[in-house]
Amino acid sequence: MAVVQNTYTENIRPAFVGQIADMTGYDADTRNVETAAGIGFGLAVGQGTAPKGAVLGAATAAAFVGISIRDVTLDPRDGDKYPQNANMGVMTWGDIWVQTGGAVAVGADVTFDAATGVLSSAAAGASQFAIAGARWMSATSGVGLAKLRLRGPTPAA
């Protein structure tokens, strides 16, 4: 039998990408992954073609439905992402850890890249959309792990 783990760190890591940050309250939906390449943890997802479908990123700010939640029960060979056609947890309201696309400041607005779903504080524009009611709860000086709070209107679909 192969050894699963043979070294242990003295301290546990405080967070992982896509991990629910705390248990103060959150809402999540189950959606079906429509993106052929799958969808990684902690990324913005948009409305797919099916009523409960989801795609990586979103073509408009209005198509944003939430952020993909880490699932430790997935096969590790899938590379920390949900494969196409898998059921995926999507946070619609609450606090979640994400990998930022650049520096973010506490309290700053949150945007996502339409194509990659990466979250940041980049200026909203043709390929960056603001998430209503979202804000950063921790800061990074560049690309890094940060806590994001979703408190905007819950998507209707």
Side-chain angles (χ1 to χ4, degrees):
M1 182 172 187
V3 175
V4 175
Q5 181 175 357
N6 61 10
T7 61
Y8 301 89
T9 60
E10 186 174 336
N11 299 307
I12 62 170
R13 290 174 58 183
F16 290 91
V17 173
Q19 178 180 330
I20 296 169
D22 53 50
M23 299 308 284
T24 58
Y26 70 91
D27 284 326
D29 288 335
T30 300
R31 290 192 168 263
N32 187 267
V33 176
E34 294 180 0
T35 302
I39 297 176
F41 302 151
L43 297 172
V45 296
Q47 179 64 50
T49 56
K52 282 295 192 178
V55 294
L56 179 63
T60 66
F64 171 80
V65 294
I67 298 173
S68 57
I69 300 172
R70 179 179 195 81
D71 185 343
V72 298
T73 66
L74 292 175
D75 188 332
R77 293 172 293 189
D78 287 332
D80 283 347
K81 68 179 177 181
Y82 293 93
Q84 185 178 26
N85 300 318
N87 284 331
M88 170 178 62
V90 177
M91 180 176 281
T92 59
W93 190 90
D95 296 352
I96 189 166
W97 291 98
V98 300
Q99 184 76 32
T100 67
V104 298
V106 173
D109 290 338
V110 179
T111 61
F112 68 91
D113 183 278
T116 65
V118 173
L119 297 135
S120 67
S121 284
S127 65
Q128 287 288 134
F129 299 110
I131 301 172
R135 63 177 279 174
W136 293 106
M137 300 304 291
S138 65
T140 64
S141 58
V143 173
L145 195 60
K147 187 193 291 189
L148 182 151
R149 175 168 285 169
L150 293 174
R151 291 288 193 263
T154 304

